[in-house]
Amino acid sequence: MSHFVLPQTTFVKDEVCQKVGVTFSWAQANELAVYGFCEKQGREQSGTSLLRREINGGKIYFYKHAELLDDPELRKLINESNTTFISSRNVPITVQSSRNRILELSPDTVLPKLLEWTRMDRADLDELASEIVTSSLTKGADLRHPEYWEVVMGLLLIGRFDSTRALLKLHSEADTVPFFEADLLLRSIPVYTLIGSDQPSFDLFKPYCATWYQMMVSMLLFTDPIVKIHDLNYHANQCIEYFGGRSKLKLLDHTILALVDSNLNLAIKYLLYTADGGWCAVHLTNLLDLAGNLNKNSRGDHIDFEQMLLDYGEMLMSHQSYWQVGLTYLEQCKVHGWDAMKVLMLKLPLTSEEKALKIIAKAKEYNVTDVVNDICKVMATSRLRNGNLSGALTWSLMSNDAQYTDYIADKYLRSYAMGCSDSEIGCSQALMNLGQSVLISSRLTFLAKYCEFHSLYEEDKKKEAASLLIRLIDSKVSPKYFWFTLLLDALPLLLNEHPLLSHDDTTIILACLEELATDTADNPIRSTPKFNENTTLLRKEITKNLARSLLIESSNTTNEKIIKCV
């Protein structure tokens, strides 16, 4: 029994739309963009009048059709059919002959297949029959259940003869001669001509058949049970005429008629118009393709299977729960599948880090490296926008983009140089255990070495820390705005009770300070708090350390170094 859902009316509550009208464009495979528009009369250069549509301001509203994907009862079906689809596409060529059995249909097996299908369509009859039998252990079921005869005739017309006999035995007059004869007749079936007429008695079947195809199968059961497949079209048209003719046919009717007529390609095209998002059409076409029957005797109705897979895959990827399933269909598109994956994966909403990592993992699995890099940069930018430099640096490293990683590392250095503490920025933890990854960017390499200096100092390895700091200052690999930060880091080393910096080391520090002091370029570090005070303090301690180191090194008779005077 078919069930139809009345369409739901949606009102666009927008002043512009109410004044000038609305139009729409397809935003995605299952999404409409609705907006206000106006029509203006104009003329082409040739003088021909032209009606032109123009967008008339206002908002754009997006509407999605509630599809198969939103039905919780059918979600399991989508996943199970996907498993079957993947398995079928990976079947070796050596079992091609087995694939062909999928669509084998002997002319002598037409009616049993049709009966099986009709019984599925009338599954409600089994439920009603079970209810009558369960509640009617004695005769008189016809008196207790108003739907008794409707169920009996329904079961009879779909060939459920045993169930029909069981119900007849519960009738209040089951012990009479007519019922005995009916039971004997049903036990002796198959009987090939029960109607006893050259012309089918449509009026006899009509009250118990809701559709023309139910009537067709029932008529064939009793009048022509050995019907051949090429004769089905004739019987179908007879029943269609009795139900009002072709003008009354709906989409489902046209689909079934195309199947009856063995026009599989046309049936698939009708299935594409159904509200299941292409699920049935795609999986039926897959079976036809595997069996080598796709576009065979197509009568001009060519099926583009790759386009069907692209559309179905795109529809799945538009849903938050099925984007990974959609990729398995796009993978089978040899021409445009890779490009479609790239575009659609970048459209997926990055609602969390976990979701982003899942997308990245799938992108790597399908070798869509551009998606990996782009998503990492999007996530890095998001973290940067929220002030999370540590997170931004981590994501930029995953992108393998040297220029972008330079940009993030530079952001860290600027923030630190302008007074933010390392604990506030939190990049030290992000740089630990990076190994060769730091070499992707010159800024990042310096940043890693700078964090190493702080680690050594905190571990009280001041001699090693001092040596590393001097190398960083002398190499001038850091940006100039960071020089003063390095000099301030040298201050506690200069103040240390036991000398940590040699005369040469101190000379390098002084040279850096002098170059920074004489720099005429606009340096933002000059605006930092206590810049002048710290500069004075640095000069004082540099002078002390120069004098102390000179005294120590000159008194050391084993020291063969030439003392440089500045």
Side-chain angles (χ1 to χ4, degrees):
M1 184 177 293
S2 301
H3 300 277
F4 298 93
V5 180
L6 292 175
Q8 181 181 356
T9 303
T10 302
F11 294 94
V12 180
K13 297 180 180 180
D14 185 274
E15 292 183 4
V16 174
C17 294
Q18 290 175 356
K19 289 179 181 178
V20 301
V22 296
T23 189
F24 69 88
S25 301
W26 286 106
Q28 295 186 53
N30 64 331
E31 187 175 51
L32 289 178
V34 180
Y35 49 89
F37 81 101
C38 63
E39 293 184 339
K40 289 188 177 181
Q41 196 76 27
R43 289 189 176 277
E44 295 182 341
Q45 293 182 351
S46 60
T48 307
S49 66
L50 177 68
L51 192 63
R52 187 177 62 221
R53 285 184 174 185
E54 291 186 358
I55 297 176
N56 201 44
K59 298 179 180 179
I60 299 177
Y61 301 89
F62 294 93
Y63 292 92
K64 269 190 176 182
H65 176 63
E67 296 185 4
L68 178 81
L69 304 181
D70 298 314
D71 189 337
E73 296 181 2
L74 295 176
R75 291 190 174 189
K76 185 177 180 181
L77 175 64
I78 296 172
N79 288 319
E80 288 181 350
S81 60
N82 175 247
T83 302
T84 304
F85 173 81
I86 295 171
S87 300
S88 69
R89 301 309 295 186
N90 294 328
V91 174
I93 300 299
T94 53
V95 296
Q96 185 67 37
S97 58
S98 298
R99 287 173 165 175
N100 291 334
R101 296 196 188 103
I102 296 170
L103 295 173
E104 280 182 358
L105 186 62
S106 170
D108 297 328
T109 62
V110 174
L111 186 59
K113 294 292 184 182
L114 290 174
L115 283 172
E116 183 181 351
W117 165 63
T118 306
R119 288 165 185 169
M120 293 173 62
D121 190 44
R122 295 302 310 273
D124 59 312
L125 289 174
D126 289 327
E127 296 179 7
L128 291 171
S130 177
E131 183 180 337
I132 293 173
V133 172
T134 302
S135 61
S136 302
L137 299 178
T138 59
K139 295 180 177 62
D142 56 310
L143 302 176
R144 292 187 292 271
H145 297 277
E147 70 279 10
Y148 173 83
W149 278 113
E150 181 182 351
V151 176
V152 169
M153 290 302 296
L155 291 171
L156 177 65
L157 294 181
I158 62 174
R160 301 293 293 271
F161 300 127
D162 290 339
S163 298
T164 305
R165 289 176 58 220
L167 289 180
L168 288 175
K169 289 178 180 179
L170 295 175
H171 193 275
S172 57
E173 299 180 10
D175 295 331
T176 62
V177 173
F179 280 85
F180 277 120
E181 291 180 348
D183 185 71
L184 181 62
L185 183 63
L186 290 172
R187 275 190 295 166
S188 63
I189 283 178
V191 178
Y192 293 152
T193 311
L194 293 181
I195 302 300
S197 173
D198 293 334
Q199 294 297 324
S201 300
F202 292 106
D203 292 335
L204 181 63
F205 291 92
K206 183 68 165 64
Y208 307 103
C209 297
T211 62
W212 64 267
Y213 44 87
Q214 288 178 4
M215 176 183 281
M216 179 189 73
V217 177
S218 299
M219 293 285 294
L220 291 174
L221 174 64
F222 293 106
T223 62
D224 193 2
I226 57 172
V227 63
K228 302 298 186 291
I229 193 169
H230 55 265
D231 292 326
L232 289 179
N233 183 267
Y234 168 76
H235 295 288
N237 282 305
Q238 275 193 314
C239 295
I240 287 171
E241 288 302 319
Y242 193 75
F243 271 79
R246 287 179 174 263
S247 62
K248 301 292 185 180
L249 297 183
K250 301 220 175 359
L251 178 60
L252 178 60
D253 300 300
H254 284 291
T255 306
I256 295 173
L257 186 58
L259 289 170
V260 166
D261 200 25
S262 299
N263 193 340
L264 297 177
N265 283 18
L266 181 60
I268 290 170
K269 287 198 171 184
Y270 284 131
L271 286 172
L272 287 172
Y273 297 130
T274 59
D276 66 356
W279 175 84
C280 184
V282 165
H283 292 92
L284 175 59
T285 306
N286 179 51
L287 295 179
L288 292 172
D289 183 51
L290 294 172
N293 288 329
L294 185 60
N295 294 318
K296 187 177 181 180
N297 303 320
S298 60
R299 308 180 197 176
D301 298 307
H302 181 79
I303 295 295
D304 187 346
F305 188 33
E306 170 150 333
Q307 187 59 51
M308 289 175 62
L309 290 172
L310 285 171
D311 293 339
Y312 185 61
E314 180 180 356
M315 186 270 294
L316 288 171
M317 291 196 67
S318 68
H319 196 280
Q320 61 179 355
S321 301
Y322 292 104
W323 62 270
Q324 296 178 74
V325 178
L327 289 172
T328 63
Y329 293 92
L330 297 177
E331 183 187 17
Q332 298 299 323
C333 302
K334 305 304 180 185
V335 180
H336 301 294
W338 191 88
D339 291 330
M341 280 186 189
K342 178 180 176 181
V343 172
L344 294 173
M345 290 180 83
L346 288 175
K347 285 185 177 181
L348 294 171
L350 304 176
T351 52
S352 65
E353 287 200 5
E354 182 182 3
K355 176 74 173 289
L357 290 171
K358 282 185 179 180
I359 297 173
I360 288 171
K362 282 296 176 182
K364 289 179 178 179
E365 180 182 336
Y366 290 104
N367 199 29
V368 193
T369 53
D370 290 349
V371 170
V372 176
N373 297 339
D374 288 347
I375 288 177
C376 289
K377 285 194 281 188
V378 169
M379 293 299 291
T381 303
S382 173
R383 299 298 176 271
L384 190 61
R385 192 181 299 116
N386 295 330
N388 183 357
L389 282 174
S390 176
L393 187 59
T394 302
W395 282 104
S396 67
L397 282 170
M398 292 174 62
S399 72
N400 291 320
D401 188 320
Q403 186 175 0
Y404 195 72
T405 305
D406 259 350
Y407 172 74
I408 300 294
D410 192 68
K411 281 283 186 181
Y412 168 81
L413 292 172
R414 284 186 181 276
S415 297
Y416 190 90
M418 295 303 293
C420 293
S421 68
D422 181 69
S423 60
E424 290 174 331
I425 301 172
C427 282
S428 292
Q429 293 298 321
L431 290 167
M432 291 178 66
N433 303 319
L434 285 180
Q436 297 296 318
S437 298
V438 298
L439 301 178
I440 190 176
S441 148
S442 58
R443 280 281 193 275
L444 187 61
T445 303
F446 167 74
L447 183 55
K449 285 296 181 182
Y450 182 67
C451 288
E452 182 185 344
F453 157 73
H454 274 287
S455 297
L456 290 170
Y457 190 84
E458 289 169 4
E459 294 170 6
D460 204 29
K461 297 178 181 179
K462 294 181 179 180
K463 192 66 178 178
E464 292 89 335
S467 176
L468 178 56
L469 181 63
I470 293 301
R471 291 201 304 272
L472 291 176
I473 295 173
D474 191 35
S475 66
K476 297 184 179 179
V477 294
S478 68
K480 204 162 191 176
Y481 63 76
F482 204 75
W483 286 10
F484 195 67
T485 303
L486 295 177
L487 293 175
L488 290 178
D489 287 326
L491 190 57
L493 301 175
L494 292 169
L495 292 168
N496 197 67
E497 181 180 356
H498 302 288
L500 295 171
L501 300 172
S502 67
H503 185 275
D504 288 350
D505 294 338
T506 312
T507 302
I508 291 172
I509 295 173
L510 180 58
C512 180
L513 180 61
E514 290 300 327
E515 183 174 345
L516 193 62
T518 57
D519 186 10
T520 58
D522 185 20
N523 194 326
I525 302 304
R526 294 179 181 275
S527 61
T528 56
K530 299 183 178 181
F531 174 79
N532 293 327
E533 182 180 337
N534 286 329
T535 301
T536 302
L537 181 59
L538 272 169
R539 289 185 184 279
K540 178 181 177 182
E541 295 306 321
I542 288 172
T543 303
K544 287 182 179 180
N545 202 71
L546 279 173
R548 184 171 57 170
S549 61
L550 183 61
L551 192 63
I552 293 172
E553 292 175 19
S554 62
S555 63
N556 187 356
T557 56
T558 62
N559 190 350
E560 299 179 357
K561 289 184 178 180
I562 300 175
I563 306 301
K564 296 180 182 179
C565 298
V566 180

